[in-house]
């Protein structure tokens, strides 16, 4: 018997169903299937291996970025507050942790309201506790700083550190950082581990749970169980003075570490099977670089991290950090920073090139 499967025909067919039969049919309708209970975007596990997604926008202006950001609603999942983070360290570790957290609060949100500055500090301390990130404040803040792009906090690799802080704004940021290290919790952003300014539209944003906007920043957390407070089991390890080359060159595993659906990293040399353009294919995960750091791209190959920094680049980063600490402790005259440098809120983001 021929069936009419047009919209009109299906409406006529369902009109004859009793409520129980209709509920059962809808439960098995793939079009009406409920959203992922963990708030993950539909299709978040699919990768376009030809290039990083750009939503069809070649050069995103502030206006178009705001429009793109508005297309995705904030999640209705609850925002659960984190336990207080109390820094149990003394001496140099305590001083360096305060300095690095103040750096992040100042350079990322100097012109934000106090609640926005507290939210940035909360993200840093959330990362210290999350298993996916380093276990000291300075290592979290300067993760990826050896990269020209892809650093976790943009001020560490975009040249902002060339400008000395404005004294009054620095003291305000330092007060926020000190309170955070003494156990103050910003409940507004809960377990957030990522954020970006509302005038940019990073490609990784749809892969995370969109939680809240505070000031100019939109905050996100991991999807699934690893975005819940119970997953933040990492312990502070100290050692603020030492940031290893591996950390200085590392990536955020969640947003650009080539994750599998369960949130685990895929190492170079392994294979991954993906549904690409409706076809299921298997690809090699590689990190092949030619001499001079230029990457050789091979069709059907996924590329993970960038090249490792040279010893000279690592030494330059360490010299820069040492110079910052010396300038902070020495009674030197502080030059006023251009307002634009202090007011440029950065974003926690993965490499987008």
């Amino acid at each position: 018997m021929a069936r009419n499967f047009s919209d009109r025909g299906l409406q006529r067919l369902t009109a004859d169903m009793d409520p129980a039969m209709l509920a059962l049919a809808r439960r098995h309708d793939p079009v009406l299937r409920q959203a992922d209970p963990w708030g993950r975007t539909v299709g978040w596990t699919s990768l376009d291996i030809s290039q990083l997604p750009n939503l069809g926008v070649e050069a995103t202006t502030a206006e178009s970025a705001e429009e793109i950001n508005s297309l995705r609603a904030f999640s209705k999942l609850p925002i659960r507050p984190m336990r207080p983070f109390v820094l149990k360290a003394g001496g140099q570790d305590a001083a360096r942790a305060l300095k690095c957290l103040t750096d992040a609060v100042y350079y990322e949100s100097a012109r934000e309201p106090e609640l926005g500055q507290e939210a940035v500090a909360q993200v840093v301390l959330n990362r210290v506790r999350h298993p996916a990130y380093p276990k000291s404040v300075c290592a979290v803040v300067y993760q990826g700083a050896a990269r020209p792009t892809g650093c976790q906090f943009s001020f560490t690799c975009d040249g902002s550190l060339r400008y000395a802080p404005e004294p009054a704004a620095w003291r305000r940021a330092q007060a926020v950082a000190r309170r955070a290290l003494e156990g103050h919790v910003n409940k507004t952003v809960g377990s957030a581990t990522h954020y970006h300014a509302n005038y940019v539209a990073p490609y990784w944003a749809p892969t995370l749970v969109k939680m809240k906007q505070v000031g100019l920043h939109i905050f996100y957390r991991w999807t699934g169980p690893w975005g819940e407070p119970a997953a933040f089991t990492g312990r502070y390890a100290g050692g603020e003075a030492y940031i290893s080359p591996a950390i200085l060159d590392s990536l955020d595993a969640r947003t650009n570490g080539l994750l599998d659906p369960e949130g685990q990293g895929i190492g170079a040399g392994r294979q991954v099977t993906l549904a690409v353009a409706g076809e299921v294919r298997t690809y090699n995960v590689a990190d092949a670089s030619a001499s001079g750091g230029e990457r050789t791209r091979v069709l059907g190959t996924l590329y993970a991290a960038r090249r490792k920094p040279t010893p000279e680049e690592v030494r330059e980063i360490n010299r820069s950090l040492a110079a910052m600490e010396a300038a902070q402790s020495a009674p030197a005259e502080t030059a006023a920073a251009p307002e634009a440098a202090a007011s440029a809120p950065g974003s926690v983001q993965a490499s987008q090139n």
Side-chain angles (χ1 to χ4, degrees):
M1 175 179 176
R3 298 278 186 177
N4 183 359
F5 289 107
S6 66
D7 289 343
R8 187 181 183 88
L10 290 174
Q11 288 173 1
R12 178 68 187 84
L13 182 64
T14 56
D16 294 333
M17 294 182 177
D18 62 62
M21 183 186 298
L22 184 59
L24 183 63
R26 284 177 173 169
R27 186 181 306 169
H28 294 280
D29 186 344
V31 177
L32 300 177
R33 191 166 294 163
Q34 294 182 351
D36 188 297
W38 288 338
R40 293 178 292 198
T41 301
V42 174
W44 76 281
T45 57
S46 300
L47 296 177
D48 177 3
I49 66 165
S50 62
Q51 59 183 1
L52 291 176
N54 60 10
L55 301 180
V57 180
E58 290 300 326
T60 306
T61 64
E63 292 77 12
S64 63
E66 290 176 1
E67 292 173 358
I68 292 169
N69 290 327
S70 68
L71 291 175
R72 184 169 182 243
F74 287 93
S75 171
K76 295 181 180 180
L77 296 173
I79 298 176
R80 297 184 174 88
M82 301 294 288
R83 292 179 294 107
F85 182 102
V86 178
L87 182 67
K88 296 180 180 179
Q92 287 298 313
D93 267 354
R96 290 173 187 271
L98 177 61
K99 171 64 167 58
C100 289
L101 188 56
T102 304
D103 283 343
V105 172
Y106 177 84
Y107 286 103
E108 295 283 300
S109 59
R111 303 303 178 194
E112 288 291 285
E114 186 173 276
L115 189 65
Q117 294 194 350
E118 290 177 355
V120 169
Q122 187 68 51
V123 166
V124 174
L125 298 185
N126 285 350
R127 285 193 169 207
V128 173
R129 281 178 164 168
H130 198 281
Y133 301 99
K135 292 294 157 281
S136 73
V137 176
C138 290
V140 163
V141 171
Y142 286 93
Q143 182 181 11
R147 295 172 171 275
T149 60
C151 52
Q152 295 308 292
F153 292 84
S154 58
F155 78 92
T156 66
C157 67
D158 68 2
S160 296
L161 290 170
R162 291 195 299 265
Y163 303 102
E166 193 277 321
W170 175 265
R171 288 192 294 270
R172 179 169 170 250
Q174 189 177 58
V176 169
R178 182 176 285 109
R179 287 199 304 272
L181 293 173
E182 291 173 352
H184 177 76
V185 175
N186 183 301
K187 298 180 180 179
T188 307
V189 297
S191 57
T193 48
H194 298 72
Y195 64 86
H196 65 79
N198 68 342
Y199 50 78
V200 297
Y203 72 87
W204 49 259
T207 72
L208 301 172
V209 177
K210 187 178 181 181
M211 301 174 70
K212 194 85 173 177
Q213 179 166 344
V214 182
L216 291 178
H217 288 144
I218 301 173
F219 291 82
Y220 301 79
R221 69 166 173 82
W222 283 55
T223 58
W226 259 27
E228 298 290 349
F232 290 68
T233 57
R235 294 179 177 274
Y236 175 76
E240 299 285 357
Y242 176 69
I243 306 176
S244 70
I247 290 175
L248 289 171
D249 188 51
S250 62
L251 292 165
D252 181 343
R254 180 61 182 84
T255 53
N256 60 350
L258 293 178
L259 297 184
D260 64 18
E262 296 301 319
Q264 307 301 318
I266 302 175
R270 292 179 56 188
Q271 291 186 328
V272 58
T273 301
L274 302 172
V276 180
E279 296 183 31
V280 177
R281 305 176 185 172
T282 299
Y283 297 90
N284 295 319
V285 179
D287 186 20
S289 298
S291 59
E294 295 297 325
R295 189 175 306 286
T296 303
R297 295 207 173 271
V298 180
L299 186 63
T301 300
L302 296 176
Y303 292 89
R306 295 173 178 269
R307 65 174 176 83
K308 293 184 180 299
T310 65
E312 291 76 16
E313 290 170 336
V314 173
R315 284 195 292 272
E316 181 59 32
I317 290 291
N318 289 332
R319 278 197 299 270
S320 298
L321 293 175
M324 289 165 47
E325 294 163 0
Q328 178 66 19
S329 58
E333 219 176 286
T334 303
E339 184 172 336
S343 64
S347 59
V348 177
Q349 60 184 322
S351 175
Q352 298 185 46
N353 68 331

